[in-house]
Amino acid sequence: DPVVEAKRDAGIRAADMVKDGMVVGLGTGSTVFFAMERLGERIKSEGLHVLGVPTSNQTAMRAEEYGIPLTTLTQHPQLDLAIDGADQVDPKKRMIKGRGAAHLREKVVADAANQFVVVIDAGKEVAGLDAAVPIEVLPFAYGSVVRRLRELGGEPVMRNGVKKDGPVISDNGNYVIDCAFGAVADPAGLETAINAIPGVLGNGIFARMTEKTVVIVGGRK
Ligand code: DER
């Protein structure tokens, strides 16, 4: 499958940017897992010394499988780089993330990193961001947040489980809303406006870290 091969290529290239002794943010999703697999191989074959800060329970479990030692932001409040995937990336390296409902910790880890390495296949590249925005919401605040999102011009939809009835519960114990706004004309402005709503813990627009972002498109040098 050419998409899988592109994801693998991007992941390997990102993992090969890691230098001995680095502390690395580990994102969530199928593409970054290829980077983690490669890191595990490098630990075994080269004796690479690296520590990872995981952005989800799933990533923490994968890191254990691959033999990547883990640490925390308390131990390492600043990271050398973070490797993560994305759902949409525009020409200015602004992104929408959160398909995996891990975007709250992902943004914390990306913020803590000196460099943000995003690994994608070409299908994620868009001229303009227009995907529904994943938003992590305090369950207590669900009703009022829905109202505020509508006032912002959004169409909020609760993210329900597939193999679980009722709402998806994030690793942080919160709900996730997918909110469509159509074409997002001002990603940074919308990112801030959504986060200003009381009860919103975070959202999947990543528009404020483009300076330190490197995008690796699998299959393209
Ligand atoms: O949920 C997330 O933020 C993931 O990083 C997602 O955006 C990318 O997942 P993928 O690499 O499996 O497409």
Side-chain angles (χ1 to χ4, degrees), residues 26-216:
L26 301 174
T28 299
S30 62
T31 313
V32 72
F33 290 159
F34 285 115
M36 292 172 62
E37 187 176 32
R38 172 72 173 168
L39 281 177
E41 289 164 3
R42 292 187 59 197
I43 289 168
K44 289 192 187 71
S45 65
E46 305 167 25
L48 181 73
H49 298 94
V50 65
L51 291 173
V53 177
T55 54
S56 64
N57 296 335
Q58 184 181 36
T59 293
M61 290 189 285
R62 283 296 179 97
E64 304 265 2
E65 273 175 49
Y66 294 142
I68 302 171
L70 297 180
T71 186
T72 68
L73 290 174
T74 307
Q75 307 260 344
H76 296 93
Q78 190 161 4
L79 308 177
D80 296 291
L81 62 88
I83 305 173
D84 204 347
D87 299 309
Q88 285 191 330
V89 181
D90 81 0
K92 292 182 179 171
K93 299 191 273 188
R94 299 171 298 188
M95 288 172 269
I96 290 181
K97 287 174 49 54
R99 175 201 54 75
H103 55 284
L104 181 56
R105 297 191 188 183
E106 287 173 337
K107 193 177 282 186
V108 169
V109 163
D111 177 61
N114 296 332
Q115 190 172 37
F116 188 36
V117 180
V118 176
V119 286
I120 58 170
D121 59 275
K124 308 289 186 68
E125 294 179 301
V126 295
L129 302 178
D130 62 2
V133 179
I135 302 167
E136 182 148 341
V137 180
L138 190 70
F140 170 81
Y142 176 72
S144 52
V145 169
V146 162
R147 179 173 60 83
R148 288 287 191 211
L149 288 170
R150 288 200 177 111
E151 287 170 359
L152 275 181
E155 291 173 21
V157 175
M158 170 73 88
R159 186 180 297 187
N160 288 316
V162 174
K163 295 181 179 172
K164 170 192 176 291
D165 288 349
V168 162
I169 306 294
S170 75
D171 290 355
N172 315 298
N174 299 306
Y175 292 163
V176 178
I177 286 175
D178 290 296
C179 195
F181 291 90
V184 179
D186 173 14
L190 184 57
E191 176 178 2
T192 303
I194 293 172
N195 281 346
I197 300 171
V200 168
L201 286 307
N203 73 83
I205 300 174
F206 284 49
R208 295 184 172 279
M209 42 183 84
T210 56
E211 293 303 307
K212 66 178 185 181
T213 299
V214 169
V215 180
I216 298 179

